[in-house]
Coordinates of all heavy atoms in Angstrom, one line a residue:
M1212 N 87.2 59.3 97.8 CA 87.4 58.4 99.0 C 87.2 59.1 100.3 O 87.7 60.2 100.5 CB 88.9 57.9 98.9 CG 89.3 57.2 100.2 SD 90.5 55.8 100.0 CE 90.0 55.0 98.6
D1213 N 86.3 58.5 101.2 CA 86.1 59.1 102.5 C 87.4 59.0 103.3 O 87.9 57.9 103.4 CB 84.9 58.4 103.2 CG 83.6 58.8 102.5 OD1 83.6 59.9 101.8 OD2 82.6 58.1 102.7
I1214 N 87.8 60.1 103.9 CA 88.9 59.9 104.8 C 88.4 60.2 106.3 O 87.5 60.9 106.5 CB 90.1 60.9 104.5 CG1 89.6 62.4 104.6 CG2 90.6 60.6 103.1 CD1 90.8 63.3 104.4
P1215 N 89.1 59.4 107.2 CA 88.6 59.5 108.6 C 88.7 60.9 109.2 O 89.5 61.7 108.7 CB 89.6 58.6 109.3 CG 90.1 57.7 108.3 CD 90.2 58.5 107.0
D1216 N 87.8 61.2 110.1 CA 87.7 62.5 110.7 C 89.1 62.9 111.2 O 89.8 62.1 111.8 CB 86.8 62.5 111.9 CG 85.3 62.5 111.4 OD1 85.1 62.7 110.2 OD2 84.4 62.2 112.2
G1217 N 89.4 64.2 111.0 CA 90.7 64.7 111.6 C 91.9 64.6 110.7 O 92.9 65.2 110.9
W1218 N 91.7 63.8 109.7 CA 92.8 63.6 108.7 C 92.5 64.6 107.5 O 91.4 64.9 107.2 CB 92.9 62.2 108.2 CG 93.3 61.2 109.2 CD1 92.5 60.7 110.2 CD2 94.6 60.7 109.4 NE1 93.3 59.9 111.0 CE2 94.6 59.8 110.5 CE3 95.8 60.8 108.7 CZ2 95.7 59.1 111.0 CZ3 96.9 60.1 109.1 CH2 96.8 59.3 110.2
T1219 N 93.6 65.1 107.0 CA 93.5 66.0 105.8 C 94.2 65.5 104.6 O 95.2 64.7 104.8 CB 94.1 67.4 106.2 OG1 95.4 67.2 106.6 CG2 93.3 68.1 107.3
T1220 N 93.7 65.9 103.5 CA 94.4 65.4 102.2 C 95.6 66.4 102.0 O 95.5 67.6 102.2 CB 93.4 65.5 101.1 OG1 92.3 64.6 101.3 CG2 94.1 65.0 99.8
S1221 N 96.7 65.7 101.6 CA 98.0 66.5 101.4 C 97.8 67.5 100.2 O 96.9 67.2 99.3 CB 99.1 65.6 101.2 OG 98.9 64.8 100.0
D1222 N 98.7 68.4 100.1 CA 98.6 69.4 99.0 C 98.7 68.7 97.7 O 98.1 69.1 96.7 CB 99.7 70.5 99.2 CG 99.5 71.4 100.4 OD1 98.3 71.4 100.9 OD2 100.4 72.0 100.8
D1223 N 99.5 67.7 97.6 CA 99.7 67.0 96.3 C 98.6 66.0 96.1 O 98.6 65.3 95.0 CB 101.1 66.3 96.2 CG 101.2 65.2 97.3 OD1 100.2 64.9 98.0 OD2 102.3 64.7 97.4
G1224 N 97.7 65.9 97.0 CA 96.5 65.0 96.8 C 96.8 63.5 96.9 O 96.0 62.7 96.7
K1225 N 98.1 63.2 97.2 CA 98.5 61.8 97.2 C 98.6 61.1 98.5 O 98.9 59.9 98.6 CB 99.9 61.7 96.5 CG 100.0 62.2 95.1 CD 101.3 62.0 94.5 CE 101.3 62.3 93.0 NZ 102.6 62.1 92.4
A1226 N 98.2 61.9 99.6 CA 98.3 61.3 101.0 C 97.3 61.9 101.9 O 96.7 62.9 101.5 CB 99.7 61.5 101.5
I1227 N 97.1 61.2 103.0 CA 96.3 61.9 104.1 C 97.2 62.1 105.3 O 98.2 61.3 105.4 CB 95.1 61.0 104.5 CG1 95.5 59.6 104.8 CG2 94.0 61.0 103.3 CD1 94.3 58.7 105.3
E1228 N 97.0 63.1 106.0 CA 97.9 63.5 107.0 C 97.2 63.9 108.3 O 96.1 64.3 108.3 CB 98.8 64.7 106.6 CG 99.5 64.5 105.3 CD 100.4 65.7 104.9 OE1 99.8 66.7 104.5 OE2 101.6 65.6 105.0
K1229 N 97.9 63.7 109.4 CA 97.4 64.1 110.7 C 98.5 64.2 111.7 O 99.5 63.5 111.6 CB 96.4 63.1 111.2 CG 95.6 63.5 112.5 CD 94.5 62.5 112.8 CE 93.7 62.9 114.1 NZ 92.6 62.0 114.3
S1230 N 98.4 65.2 112.6 CA 99.4 65.3 113.7 C 98.8 65.0 115.1 O 97.6 65.2 115.3 CB 100.0 66.8 113.7 OG 100.7 67.0 112.6
F1231 N 99.7 64.5 115.9 CA 99.3 64.2 117.3 C 100.3 64.8 118.3 O 101.5 64.9 118.0 CB 99.3 62.6 117.5 CG 98.3 61.9 116.7 CD1 98.6 61.6 115.3 CD2 97.1 61.5 117.2 CE1 97.6 60.9 114.6 CE2 96.1 60.9 116.4 CZ 96.4 60.5 115.1
R1232 N 99.8 65.1 119.5 CA 100.7 65.7 120.5 C 100.6 64.8 121.7 O 99.5 64.3 122.1 CB 100.2 67.1 120.9 CG 101.2 67.8 121.8 CD 100.8 69.2 122.1 NE 99.5 69.3 122.8 CZ 98.5 70.0 122.3 NH1 98.7 70.7 121.1 NH2 97.3 70.1 122.9
F1233 N 101.8 64.5 122.3 CA 101.8 63.6 123.5 C 102.4 64.4 124.7 O 102.8 65.5 124.6 CB 102.7 62.4 123.1 CG 102.2 61.6 122.0 CD1 102.4 62.0 120.7 CD2 101.4 60.5 122.2 CE1 101.9 61.3 119.6 CE2 100.8 59.8 121.1 CZ 101.1 60.2 119.8
K1234 N 102.5 63.7 125.8 CA 103.0 64.3 127.0 C 104.5 64.7 126.8 O 104.9 65.8 127.2 CB 102.9 63.3 128.2 CG 103.4 63.8 129.6 CD 102.9 63.0 130.7 CE 103.5 61.6 130.7 NZ 104.9 61.5 131.1
D1235 N 105.2 63.8 126.2 CA 106.7 64.1 126.0 C 107.2 63.1 124.9 O 106.4 62.4 124.3 CB 107.4 63.8 127.3 CG 107.2 62.5 127.9 OD1 106.9 61.5 127.1 OD2 107.3 62.3 129.1
F1236 N 108.5 63.2 124.7 CA 109.0 62.4 123.6 C 108.9 60.9 123.8 O 108.5 60.1 122.8 CB 110.5 62.7 123.4 CG 111.2 61.9 122.3 CD1 110.9 62.2 121.0 CD2 112.1 60.9 122.6 CE1 111.5 61.4 120.0 CE2 112.7 60.1 121.6 CZ 112.4 60.4 120.3
S1237 N 109.1 60.4 125.0 CA 109.0 59.0 125.2 C 107.6 58.5 125.0 O 107.4 57.4 124.5 CB 109.5 58.6 126.6 OG 108.7 59.2 127.6
E1238 N 106.5 59.3 125.3 CA 105.2 58.9 125.0 C 105.0 58.8 123.5 O 104.3 57.9 123.0 CB 104.2 59.9 125.6 CG 104.1 59.8 127.2 CD 103.4 58.6 127.7 OE1 102.4 58.2 127.0 OE2 103.9 58.0 128.7
A1239 N 105.5 59.8 122.8 CA 105.3 59.8 121.4 C 106.0 58.6 120.8 O 105.5 58.0 119.9 CB 105.9 61.1 120.8
F1240 N 107.2 58.3 121.2 CA 108.0 57.2 120.7 C 107.3 55.9 121.0 O 107.3 55.0 120.1 CB 109.4 57.2 121.2 CG 110.4 56.4 120.4 CD1 111.0 57.0 119.3 CD2 110.6 55.1 120.6 CE1 111.9 56.3 118.5 CE2 111.4 54.4 119.8 CZ 112.1 55.0 118.7
A1241 N 106.7 55.8 122.2 CA 106.0 54.5 122.5 C 104.8 54.3 121.6 O 104.6 53.2 121.1 CB 105.6 54.6 124.0
F1242 N 104.1 55.4 121.3 CA 103.0 55.4 120.4 C 103.4 54.9 119.0 O 102.8 54.1 118.4 CB 102.3 56.7 120.4 CG 101.0 56.7 119.5 CD1 99.8 56.2 119.9 CD2 101.1 57.2 118.2 CE1 98.7 56.1 119.1 CE2 100.0 57.2 117.4 CZ 98.8 56.7 117.8
L1243 N 104.5 55.5 118.6 CA 105.1 55.2 117.3 C 105.4 53.7 117.2 O 105.1 53.1 116.1 CB 106.3 56.1 117.0 CG 106.9 56.1 115.6 CD1 105.8 56.5 114.6 CD2 108.0 57.1 115.6
T1244 N 105.9 53.2 118.3 CA 106.2 51.8 118.3 C 105.0 50.9 118.1 O 105.0 49.9 117.4 CB 106.9 51.4 119.6 OG1 108.1 52.3 119.7 CG2 107.3 50.0 119.7
R1245 N 103.9 51.3 118.8 CA 102.6 50.6 118.6 C 102.1 50.6 117.2 O 101.7 49.6 116.6 CB 101.6 51.1 119.6 CG 102.0 50.9 121.0 CD 100.9 51.5 121.9 NE 99.7 50.8 121.9 CZ 98.5 51.3 122.2 NH1 98.4 52.6 122.6 NH2 97.4 50.6 122.2
V1246 N 102.3 51.8 116.6 CA 101.8 51.9 115.2 C 102.7 51.1 114.3 O 102.2 50.4 113.4 CB 101.9 53.4 114.7 CG1 101.7 53.6 113.2 CG2 100.9 54.3 115.5
A1247 N 104.0 51.1 114.6 CA 105.0 50.3 113.8 C 104.7 48.8 113.8 O 104.7 48.2 112.8 CB 106.4 50.6 114.3
L1248 N 104.3 48.3 115.0 CA 104.0 46.9 115.1 C 102.8 46.5 114.2 O 102.8 45.6 113.5 CB 103.7 46.5 116.5 CG 104.9 46.6 117.5 CD1 104.5 46.3 118.9 CD2 106.0 45.6 117.0
H1249 N 101.8 47.4 114.2 CA 100.6 47.2 113.3 C 101.0 47.3 111.9 O 100.6 46.5 111.0 CB 99.5 48.2 113.6 CG 98.4 48.1 112.7 ND1 97.4 47.1 112.8 CD2 98.1 48.7 111.5 CE1 96.6 47.1 111.8 NE2 97.0 48.1 110.9
A1250 N 101.8 48.3 111.6 CA 102.2 48.5 110.1 C 102.9 47.3 109.6 O 102.7 46.9 108.4 CB 103.1 49.8 110.0
E1251 N 103.8 46.7 110.4 CA 104.5 45.6 110.0 C 103.5 44.4 109.7 O 103.6 43.8 108.6 CB 105.5 45.1 111.0 CG 106.8 45.9 111.0 CD 107.5 45.6 109.6 OE1 108.2 44.6 109.5 OE2 107.4 46.5 108.7
K1252 N 102.5 44.2 110.6 CA 101.6 43.2 110.3 C 100.7 43.4 109.1 O 100.5 42.5 108.3 CB 100.6 43.1 111.5 CG 101.1 42.2 112.7 CD 100.1 41.9 113.7 CE 99.6 43.2 114.3 NZ 99.0 43.0 115.7
A1253 N 100.4 44.7 108.9 CA 99.6 45.1 107.7 C 100.4 45.2 106.5 O 99.8 45.4 105.4 CB 98.8 46.4 108.0
D1254 N 101.7 45.2 106.6 CA 102.6 45.5 105.5 C 102.2 46.8 104.8 O 102.1 47.0 103.6 CB 102.6 44.4 104.4 CG 103.7 44.6 103.4 OD1 104.8 45.2 103.8 OD2 103.6 44.2 102.2
H1255 N 101.9 47.8 105.6 CA 101.5 49.1 105.1 C 102.0 50.1 106.1 O 101.6 50.1 107.3 CB 100.0 49.3 104.9 CG 99.6 50.4 104.0 ND1 99.9 50.4 102.6 CD2 99.1 51.6 104.2 CE1 99.5 51.5 102.1 NE2 99.0 52.3 103.0
H1256 N 103.0 51.0 105.7 CA 103.8 51.7 106.6 C 103.6 53.2 106.5 O 103.5 53.8 105.4 CB 105.2 51.4 106.4 CG 105.5 49.9 106.5 ND1 105.3 49.0 105.5 CD2 105.9 49.1 107.5 CE1 105.6 47.8 105.8 NE2 106.0 47.8 107.1
P1257 N 103.5 53.9 107.6 CA 103.3 55.4 107.6 C 104.6 56.1 107.3 O 105.7 55.6 107.7 CB 102.8 55.7 109.0 CG 103.5 54.7 109.9 CD 103.5 53.4 109.0
E1258 N 104.5 57.2 106.7 CA 105.7 58.2 106.7 C 105.4 59.0 108.0 O 104.2 59.3 108.3 CB 105.7 59.1 105.5 CG 105.8 58.3 104.2 CD 105.5 59.1 103.0 OE1 105.5 60.4 103.1 OE2 105.2 58.5 101.9
F1259 N 106.4 59.3 108.7 CA 106.2 60.1 110.0 C 107.3 61.1 110.2 O 108.5 60.8 109.8 CB 106.0 59.2 111.2 CG 107.1 58.3 111.5 CD1 108.2 58.7 112.2 CD2 107.2 57.0 110.9 CE1 109.3 57.9 112.5 CE2 108.3 56.2 111.2 CZ 109.3 56.6 112.0
T1260 N 106.9 62.2 110.9 CA 107.9 63.1 111.4 C 107.7 63.2 112.9 O 106.6 63.3 113.4 CB 107.7 64.5 110.8 OG1 107.5 64.4 109.3 CG2 108.8 65.5 111.0
S1261 N 108.8 63.2 113.6 CA 108.8 63.3 115.1 C 109.5 64.5 115.5 O 110.6 64.8 115.1 CB 109.4 62.0 115.7 OG 109.9 62.3 117.0
A1262 N 108.9 65.3 116.4 CA 109.5 66.5 117.0 C 109.1 66.6 118.4 O 108.0 67.0 118.7 CB 109.1 67.7 116.2
W1263 N 110.0 66.2 119.3 CA 109.8 66.1 120.7 C 108.5 65.4 121.0 O 108.4 64.2 120.8 CB 109.8 67.5 121.4 CG 109.7 67.4 122.9 CD1 110.5 66.7 123.7 CD2 108.8 68.0 123.7 NE1 110.1 66.8 125.0 CE2 109.1 67.6 125.1 CE3 107.7 68.9 123.6 CZ2 108.3 68.0 126.2 CZ3 107.0 69.3 124.7 CH2 107.3 68.9 125.9
N1264 N 107.4 66.1 121.4 CA 106.2 65.4 121.9 C 105.1 65.4 120.8 O 103.9 65.1 121.0 CB 105.6 66.1 123.1 CG 105.1 67.5 122.8 OD1 105.5 68.2 121.8 ND2 104.1 68.0 123.6
R1265 N 105.5 65.6 119.5 CA 104.6 65.6 118.4 C 105.0 64.6 117.4 O 106.2 64.4 117.1 CB 104.5 67.0 117.8 CG 103.9 68.1 118.7 CD 104.0 69.5 118.1 NE 103.6 70.5 119.1 CZ 102.4 71.0 119.1 NH1 101.5 70.7 118.2 NH2 102.1 71.9 120.0
L1266 N 103.9 64.0 116.8 CA 104.1 63.1 115.6 C 103.3 63.6 114.5 O 102.1 63.9 114.7 CB 103.7 61.7 116.0 CG 104.6 60.9 116.9 CD1 103.9 59.5 117.1 CD2 106.0 60.7 116.3
H1267 N 103.8 63.6 113.3 CA 103.0 63.9 112.1 C 103.0 62.7 111.2 O 104.1 62.2 110.9 CB 103.6 65.1 111.4 CG 102.8 65.5 110.2 ND1 101.6 66.1 110.2 CD2 103.0 65.2 108.9 CE1 101.1 66.3 109.0 NE2 101.9 65.7 108.1
F1268 N 101.8 62.2 110.9 CA 101.8 61.0 110.0 C 101.3 61.4 108.6 O 100.4 62.3 108.5 CB 100.8 60.0 110.5 CG 101.3 59.3 111.8 CD1 100.7 59.6 113.0 CD2 102.2 58.3 111.7 CE1 101.2 58.9 114.2 CE2 102.7 57.6 112.8 CZ 102.2 57.9 114.1
R1269 N 101.9 60.8 107.6 CA 101.5 61.0 106.2 C 101.3 59.6 105.6 O 102.3 58.8 105.7 CB 102.6 61.7 105.4 CG 102.3 61.9 103.9 CD 103.4 62.6 103.2 NE 103.4 62.3 101.8 CZ 102.8 63.0 100.9 NH1 102.1 64.1 101.2 NH2 102.8 62.6 99.6
L1270 N 100.1 59.3 105.2 CA 99.8 57.9 104.7 C 99.5 58.0 103.2 O 98.7 58.7 102.7 CB 98.6 57.4 105.4 CG 98.6 57.4 107.0 CD1 97.3 56.8 107.5 CD2 99.8 56.7 107.5
T1271 N 100.2 57.1 102.5 CA 100.0 57.1 101.0 C 100.3 55.7 100.6 O 101.1 54.9 101.2 CB 100.9 58.1 100.3 OG1 100.6 58.0 98.9 CG2 102.3 57.8 100.4
T1272 N 99.8 55.3 99.4 CA 100.1 53.9 98.9 C 101.0 54.1 97.7 O 100.7 54.6 96.7 CB 98.8 53.2 98.5 OG1 98.0 53.1 99.6 CG2 99.1 51.8 97.9
H1273 N 102.3 53.7 97.9 CA 103.3 53.9 96.9 C 102.9 53.2 95.6 O 103.0 53.8 94.5 CB 104.7 53.3 97.4 CG 105.0 53.8 98.8 ND1 105.6 52.9 99.7 CD2 104.8 54.9 99.5 CE1 105.7 53.5 100.9 NE2 105.3 54.7 100.8
D1274 N 102.4 52.0 95.8 CA 102.1 51.2 94.5 C 101.0 52.0 93.7 O 100.9 51.8 92.5 CB 101.5 49.9 94.9 CG 102.5 49.1 95.8 OD1 103.7 49.5 95.9 OD2 102.0 48.2 96.5
A1275 N 100.2 52.8 94.4 CA 99.1 53.4 93.6 C 99.4 54.9 93.4 O 98.6 55.6 92.8 CB 97.8 53.3 94.4
D1276 N 100.5 55.4 94.0 CA 100.9 56.8 93.9 C 99.7 57.7 94.3 O 99.4 58.7 93.7 CB 101.3 57.1 92.4 CG 101.9 58.5 92.4 OD1 102.6 58.9 93.4 OD2 101.8 59.2 91.4
G1277 N 99.1 57.2 95.4 CA 97.9 58.0 95.9 C 97.3 57.4 97.2 O 98.0 56.5 97.8
V1278 N 96.1 57.8 97.5 CA 95.5 57.3 98.7 C 94.6 56.1 98.4 O 93.8 56.2 97.4 CB 94.6 58.4 99.3 CG1 93.9 57.9 100.6 CG2 95.5 59.6 99.7
T1279 N 94.7 55.0 99.1 CA 93.8 53.8 98.9 C 93.2 53.5 100.3 O 93.5 54.1 101.3 CB 94.6 52.6 98.4 OG1 95.5 52.2 99.5 CG2 95.4 53.0 97.2
G1280 N 92.4 52.4 100.2 CA 91.7 51.9 101.4 C 92.7 51.5 102.5 O 92.4 51.5 103.6
R1281 N 93.9 51.1 102.0 CA 95.0 50.7 103.0 C 95.4 51.9 103.8 O 95.7 51.7 105.0 CB 96.2 50.1 102.2 CG 95.8 48.9 101.4 CD 96.9 48.3 100.7 NE 97.9 47.7 101.6 CZ 99.1 47.2 101.1 NH1 99.4 47.2 99.9 NH2 99.9 46.6 102.0
D1282 N 95.4 53.1 103.2 CA 95.7 54.3 104.0 C 94.6 54.6 105.0 O 94.9 55.0 106.1 CB 96.0 55.4 103.0 CG 97.1 55.1 102.1 OD1 98.2 54.7 102.5 OD2 96.9 55.1 100.9
T1283 N 93.4 54.6 104.5 CA 92.3 55.0 105.4 C 92.2 53.9 106.6 O 91.9 54.3 107.7 CB 91.0 55.1 104.7 OG1 90.7 53.9 103.9 CG2 91.0 56.3 103.7
A1284 N 92.4 52.7 106.2 CA 92.4 51.6 107.3 C 93.5 51.9 108.3 O 93.3 51.8 109.5 CB 92.6 50.3 106.7
L1285 N 94.7 52.2 107.8 CA 95.8 52.5 108.8 C 95.5 53.7 109.6 O 95.7 53.8 110.8 CB 97.1 52.7 108.0 CG 98.3 53.0 108.9 CD1 98.5 51.9 110.0 CD2 99.6 53.1 108.0
A1286 N 94.9 54.7 109.0 CA 94.5 56.0 109.7 C 93.5 55.6 110.8 O 93.6 56.1 112.0 CB 93.8 57.0 108.8
E1287 N 92.6 54.7 110.6 CA 91.6 54.3 111.6 C 92.3 53.6 112.7 O 92.0 53.8 113.9 CB 90.5 53.5 111.0 CG 89.5 54.5 110.2 CD 88.6 53.7 109.2 OE1 88.7 52.5 109.2 OE2 87.9 54.4 108.5
V1288 N 93.3 52.8 112.4 CA 94.0 52.1 113.4 C 94.8 53.1 114.3 O 94.8 53.0 115.5 CB 95.0 51.0 112.8 CG1 96.0 50.5 113.9 CG2 94.2 49.9 112.2
I1289 N 95.4 54.0 113.6 CA 96.2 55.1 114.4 C 95.3 55.8 115.3 O 95.6 56.0 116.5 CB 96.9 56.0 113.4 CG1 98.1 55.2 112.7 CG2 97.5 57.2 114.1 CD1 98.7 56.0 111.6
D1290 N 94.1 56.2 114.8 CA 93.1 56.9 115.7 C 92.7 56.0 116.9 O 92.6 56.5 118.0 CB 91.9 57.3 114.9 CG 92.2 58.5 114.0 OD1 93.2 59.3 114.2 OD2 91.5 58.7 113.0
R1291 N 92.5 54.8 116.6 CA 92.0 53.9 117.7 C 93.1 53.7 118.7 O 92.9 53.8 119.9 CB 91.7 52.5 117.1 CG 91.3 51.5 118.1 CD 90.7 50.2 117.5 NE 91.4 49.6 116.4 CZ 92.5 48.9 116.5 NH1 93.0 48.6 117.7 NH2 93.1 48.4 115.5
L1292 N 94.4 53.6 118.3 CA 95.5 53.5 119.2 C 95.7 54.8 120.0 O 96.1 54.7 121.1 CB 96.8 53.1 118.4 CG 96.9 51.8 117.8 CD1 98.1 51.7 116.9 CD2 96.9 50.7 118.9
A1293 N 95.3 55.9 119.4 CA 95.5 57.2 120.1 C 94.4 57.4 121.1 O 94.5 58.3 122.0 CB 95.5 58.3 119.1
R1294 N 93.2 56.7 121.0 CA 92.1 57.0 122.0 C 92.6 56.5 123.3 O 93.3 55.5 123.5 CB 90.9 56.2 121.6 CG 90.0 56.9 120.6 CD 88.6 56.3 120.7 NE 88.6 55.0 120.0 CZ 88.4 54.9 118.7 NH1 88.3 55.9 117.9 NH2 88.4 53.7 118.1
P1295 N 92.2 57.3 124.4 CA 92.7 56.9 125.7 C 92.2 55.4 125.9 O 91.1 55.1 125.6 CB 91.9 57.8 126.6 CG 91.5 59.0 125.8 CD 91.4 58.5 124.4
S1296 N 93.2 54.6 126.4 CA 92.8 53.2 126.6 C 91.9 53.1 127.8 O 91.9 54.0 128.7 CB 94.1 52.4 126.7 OG 94.7 52.8 128.0
G1297 N 91.2 52.1 127.9 CA 90.3 51.9 129.0 C 91.1 51.3 130.2 O 90.5 50.7 131.1
V1298 N 92.3 51.6 130.3 CA 93.1 51.0 131.4 C 92.6 51.7 132.7 O 92.5 52.9 132.8 CB 94.6 51.3 131.2 CG1 95.4 50.8 132.5 CG2 95.1 50.6 130.0
Q1299 N 92.2 50.8 133.7 CA 91.8 51.4 135.0 C 92.8 51.1 136.0 O 93.5 50.0 135.9 CB 90.5 50.6 135.4 CG 89.4 50.7 134.3 CD 88.8 52.1 134.2 OE1 88.8 52.9 135.2 NE2 88.3 52.5 133.0
A1300 N 92.8 51.9 137.0 CA 93.7 51.6 138.2 C 93.2 50.3 138.8 O 92.0 50.1 138.9 CB 93.7 52.7 139.2
A1301 N 94.1 49.4 139.1 CA 93.7 48.1 139.6 C 94.1 47.9 141.0 O 95.1 48.6 141.5 CB 94.2 47.0 138.7
G1302 N 93.5 47.0 141.7 CA 94.0 46.7 143.1 C 95.2 45.7 142.9 O 95.8 45.7 141.8
G1303 N 95.3 44.8 143.8 CA 96.4 43.8 143.6 C 96.1 42.9 142.4 O 94.9 42.8 142.0
I1304 N 97.1 42.3 141.9 CA 96.9 41.4 140.8 C 95.9 40.4 141.0 O 95.0 40.1 140.1 CB 98.3 40.7 140.5 CG1 99.3 41.7 140.0 CG2 98.1 39.6 139.4 CD1 99.1 42.3 138.6
G1305 N 95.8 39.9 142.2 CA 94.8 38.8 142.5 C 93.4 39.3 142.7 O 92.5 38.5 142.7
E1306 N 93.2 40.7 142.8 CA 91.9 41.1 143.0 C 91.1 41.2 141.7 O 91.7 41.3 140.6 CB 91.9 42.5 143.6 CG 92.5 42.5 145.0 CD 92.7 44.0 145.5 OE1 91.9 44.8 145.1 OE2 93.6 44.1 146.3
A1307 N 89.8 41.2 141.8 CA 89.0 41.2 140.6 C 89.1 42.6 139.9 O 89.4 43.6 140.5 CB 87.5 41.1 140.9
Ligands
H2B789 C1 107.0 45.2 99.1 C2 106.1 45.8 100.1 O1 105.0 44.9 100.4 C3 105.4 47.1 99.6 O2 106.5 48.0 99.3 C4 104.5 47.7 100.7 C5 105.3 48.1 101.9 N1 104.6 49.1 102.7 C6 103.9 50.1 102.1 N2 103.5 51.1 102.8 C7 102.8 52.1 102.2 N3 102.4 53.2 102.9 N4 102.6 52.1 100.9 C8 102.9 51.0 100.1 O3 102.6 51.0 98.9 C9 103.6 49.9 100.7 N5 104.0 48.9 100.0

């Protein structure tokens, strides 16, 4: 199974893992919340460890006791959410 760039296969071969670093804990927690909302919709949930400004995700499919397309799909969502958003500084609300 191809795993997305930057993710590594766990020692037990049953998961893919990746760590992220944020400005601080609240940024990390906000990110985790965005991932959680997606996970609920997808009914596929990450295992995660949080330590101040770092998050470590471990993705595995319990039903398959290993890595499936649901894990790689969730990994791609996590990577997409982690990409700097295209938010631009805006003028007043009413301006274009
Ligand atoms: C009953 C429920 O749909 C299943 O337990 C879902 C929930 N979320 C899940 N998340 C993950 N990572 N793996 C699963 O196998 C899984 N199964």
Side-chain angles (χ1 to χ4, degrees):
M1212 167 145 323
D1213 285 342
I1214 62 172
D1216 286 350
W1218 291 78
T1219 56
T1220 301
S1221 59
D1222 291 345
D1223 65 6
K1225 296 185 176 180
I1227 54 175
E1228 299 181 295
K1229 186 172 183 178
S1230 293
F1231 295 83
R1232 188 175 60 238
F1233 300 84
K1234 180 166 67 76
D1235 54 27
F1236 178 71
S1237 63
E1238 289 288 320
F1240 200 87
F1242 182 78
L1243 190 56
T1244 302
R1245 296 177 69 203
V1246 172
L1248 292 175
H1249 174 83
E1251 275 298 280
K1252 273 192 297 201
D1254 191 30
H1255 199 69
H1256 304 82
E1258 298 167 20
F1259 60 85
T1260 310
S1261 156
W1263 187 52
N1264 67 335
R1265 292 171 189 263
L1266 283 179
H1267 181 79
F1268 288 106
R1269 175 181 157 93
L1270 310 180
T1271 184
T1272 300
H1273 313 139
D1274 305 344
D1276 193 28
V1278 179
T1279 67
R1281 298 177 71 183
D1282 302 304
T1283 54
L1285 179 55
E1287 283 161 7
V1288 167
I1289 290 171
D1290 285 340
R1291 175 167 50 79
L1292 291 173
R1294 270 200 288 275
S1296 67
V1298 176
Q1299 305 289 333
I1304 293 289
E1306 292 173 29

